[in-house]
Amino acid sequence: MLPKRFDQARPFFTLGIVLLAWLFVSLVVKTFTRATFFEIQAPLVVADSYVQDLQTFWSNRLHSKDELLIAGRQVAGLIADYDFGVQQNKNLEAEILRLENMLNLPPMPAFRFEPARVARRDFSAWWQRMVIRKGENYGITVGSPVVFAGGVVGRVTEVYHYTSVVDLITSPTFRLAASVAGENRPVSYQGGLNDSFKSPRGTVEFVPLDVFATRSLPRRLVTSGLGGVFPPGLSIGDITTLEPSADGLFKNGEVSLDERLGTLTEVTVLVPLNPEEM
Amino acid sequence: MRRVDLRWLIVLLANLLLWWMVGTANHYLSHFSFLWLDHASIHLSIGGLFVVFSALRLDSKHGWITVLLTGLMMDSLQPVPFGTNMLLLGVVLATLLYGRRRLPREGAIFGIVVALLANLFLVIALSFILVGTHPRPGEAWMRIFVDLLASQFLILTITPWFLALQERTMAIAHIHPETGRRVML
């Protein structure tokens, strides 16, 4: 029979064994276990998103014919606008190609646009991420940029069979090489200032001393294209404050981010056509 | 013939149900307007509640199985080193099992107190582990504090219901939580 003192301490002995066993479990086993546990819960994670879609479908069915006719007219106007935009886009693409050939520049990374529904948002002080309803089944790869009408949403960090996890630009774990619009000098962007009752903000570092920004005169921050993941020129947010850093060599500041990032229901994943070029 | 003991599975499924409900709540609380506030965002963490039934009502073996699997379930959905929640929940379980003989295990009031203290420990421990990645750690604490207040309030409200759910499920399955013996309603 075990001594009484050992019997009392048995829970901590068990915990020690679990800890030791966990330390010796190989990374492959841990990765497989993590993916398995995620996939087991994935149907639950996306279930309420499908229920929401169904609810929207039935509420749309209740609209009268007059309302549908008005909506149809508005959509027709939008389609005409977009047709014009597509034509302009084609001309610009042809111009870019002509300049690339003329200047012997390497081609810009090419992407396939994959729209995806947002299934789950998970915004805490420690991380800000969302689960989308497309994964390996649509060829989504880890590291793919995710965008929406207002600019950058984030980056795909985990890909599962039917779902993917996106790390948002508001997340403290998100870092990106950016540049101030109209400049080509790179600066460093990091998310993470997410107060409970304020709009999300990010931080910017290594801004050249001759760049100025205030709340009344903000400067737009865009992706620089450096690092190869994000194409250049995508909007990140507005730099609202800039102050000299402690060493006085650069400026640090805050970036005001798009409010809509917290309510997104649909995003677009930019799937690289040639992942080895990224 | 030896009967299959499903106590760990019953408690694990109850934990999974609550985990899903809180995840859905966090989805809708990620951005909302409240009174004069145009932007509000709250994240609920209720990890402490998952240990209570396992520590106070189940036997040690099934308690460990349930808590370790629940921890892995949480780890798979969170960007933390895999095993973090499992080990933190394990620390709470080991502490509760150590003093279990001296604790009033029946009743919801003590369950609430245990859930609140366990959750406080888990949030603080997780904050210390993760706050290093934050660009301005000093500013993160205010958000963590607000989230913690909301989470503790939720735990205070739902612990009696959650414990009753697990007790009732065990009763429907005709299983005594601690001994695993077949009992009649």
Side-chain angles (χ1 to χ4, degrees):
Chain A
M1 196 176 151
L2 292 167
K4 194 180 171 191
R5 185 168 286 180
F6 176 80
D7 201 39
Q8 275 186 334
R10 184 180 279 177
F12 291 106
F13 183 69
T14 312
L15 179 68
I17 290 175
V18 170
L19 181 63
L20 268 180
W22 191 249
L23 287 175
F24 286 106
V25 170
S26 75
L27 192 65
V28 178
V29 176
K30 284 180 185 170
T31 309
F32 177 76
T33 315
R34 181 174 207 148
T36 308
F37 271 81
F38 187 96
E39 293 290 11
I40 288 169
Q41 295 177 77
L44 277 177
V45 171
V46 298
D48 44 328
S49 145
Y50 280 106
V51 171
Q52 185 81 38
D53 283 356
L54 192 66
Q55 190 187 348
T56 312
F57 171 76
W58 283 109
S59 63
N60 284 341
R61 293 266 303 195
L62 294 175
H63 288 300
S64 69
K65 280 186 181 171
D66 287 345
E67 284 175 318
L68 290 175
L69 282 169
I70 293 166
R73 240 178 274 146
Q74 286 170 345
V75 170
L78 279 174
I79 289 171
D81 274 355
Y82 287 138
D83 277 344
F84 179 65
V86 168
Q87 275 183 1
Q88 274 191 321
N89 204 17
K90 276 183 185 163
N91 289 341
L92 288 171
E93 276 179 3
E95 181 68 13
I96 289 169
L97 192 67
R98 193 180 68 81
L99 289 170
E100 276 176 1
N101 289 336
M102 206 167 78
L103 300 167
N104 277 334
L105 292 172
M108 300 276 277
F111 296 98
R112 172 169 62 84
F113 301 125
E114 195 61 64
R117 299 284 287 172
V118 176
R120 173 73 59 92
R121 289 187 289 271
D122 189 13
F123 293 3
S124 74
W126 309 305
W127 59 76
Q128 302 256 313
R129 45 194 236 150
M130 52 172 61
V131 178
I132 55 171
R133 278 185 354 203
K134 279 184 181 173
E136 280 170 5
N137 55 341
Y138 282 86
I140 288 172
T141 51
V142 172
S144 299
V146 182
V147 296
F148 80 119
V152 181
V153 172
R155 183 192 293 130
V156 174
T157 51
E158 295 167 37
V159 178
Y160 298 95
H161 198 66
Y162 299 106
T163 51
S164 304
V165 178
V166 179
D167 198 20
L168 265 73
I169 54 169
T170 51
S171 180
T173 51
F174 188 95
R175 271 182 176 275
L176 176 69
S179 61
V180 180
E183 305 256 345
N184 55 7
R185 289 170 290 182
V187 299
S188 172
Y189 167 81
Q190 186 179 8
L193 304 178
N194 303 296
D195 294 340
S196 300
F197 307 114
K198 279 186 195 167
S199 303
R201 289 163 296 139
T203 57
V204 67
E205 289 175 317
F206 309 118
V207 181
L209 292 170
D210 58 347
V211 176
F212 298 91
T214 58
R215 256 174 230 289
S216 52
L217 280 171
R219 296 290 302 270
R220 182 148 287 274
L221 188 71
V222 295
T223 52
S224 65
L226 295 171
V229 177
F230 286 89
L234 293 175
S235 173
I236 296 171
D238 290 321
I239 304 175
T240 52
T241 55
L242 278 177
E243 284 169 5
S245 58
D247 57 12
L249 296 173
F250 295 99
K251 281 181 176 176
N252 298 337
E254 284 186 10
V255 182
S256 166
L257 302 171
D258 199 310
E259 285 261 357
R260 291 174 290 174
L261 285 166
T263 52
L264 289 175
T265 53
E266 187 104 25
V267 293
T268 302
V269 185
L270 305 181
V271 185
L273 290 176
N274 299 308
E276 64 274 6
E277 281 180 11
M278 303 304 286
Chain B
M1 197 178 82
R2 198 177 162 183
R3 203 162 52 86
V4 181
D5 198 339
L6 295 175
R7 280 178 288 164
W8 65 273
L9 187 62
I10 291 170
V11 181
L12 182 69
L13 288 177
N15 287 350
L16 186 61
L17 173 75
L18 185 64
W19 180 237
W20 169 69
M21 287 166 74
V22 171
T24 306
N26 280 334
H27 172 76
Y28 290 106
L29 290 173
S30 59
H31 185 283
F32 64 98
S33 302
F34 182 67
L35 298 176
W36 67 93
L37 298 166
D38 291 333
H39 176 96
S41 180
I42 285 175
H43 185 265
L44 302 167
S45 317
I46 45 118
L49 191 46
F50 295 138
V51 195
V52 180
F53 194 86
S54 309
L56 301 180
R57 310 284 161 84
L58 286 185
D59 69 313
S60 172
K61 181 182 141 194
H62 285 85
W64 276 109
I65 295 172
T66 311
V67 162
L68 297 182
L69 289 177
T70 304
L72 290 178
M73 183 180 81
M74 292 167 74
D75 282 323
S76 68
L77 285 187
Q78 294 180 347
V80 293
F82 194 54
T84 306
N85 281 299
M86 182 188 78
L87 293 172
L88 288 176
L89 289 180
V91 170
V92 176
L93 179 72
T95 311
L96 288 169
L97 288 177
Y98 178 73
R100 189 156 107 144
R101 285 181 198 158
R102 295 181 289 275
L103 301 175
R105 287 156 53 196
E106 302 294 328
I109 301 286
F110 187 70
I112 293 172
V113 174
V114 169
L116 288 172
L117 291 175
N119 202 56
L120 183 66
F121 164 74
L122 290 173
V123 170
I124 291 173
L126 209 56
S127 300
F128 274 105
I129 291 169
L130 297 174
V131 85
T133 58
H134 204 279
R136 292 183 196 165
E139 287 192 27
W141 289 108
M142 199 56 200
R143 165 77 196 242
I144 292 168
F145 179 70
V146 173
D147 289 351
L148 179 65
L149 270 186
S151 306
Q152 298 294 72
F153 179 73
L154 180 74
I155 286 178
L156 191 71
T157 323
I158 65 168
T159 303
W161 163 77
F162 190 58
L163 291 179
L165 172 82
Q166 288 165 311
E167 292 273 13
R168 186 75 189 140
T169 316
M170 288 283 180
I172 290 168
H174 302 290
I175 302 172
H176 187 275
E178 190 164 358
T179 60
R181 288 202 191 109
R182 194 167 176 77
V183 288
M184 297 311 291
L185 280 172

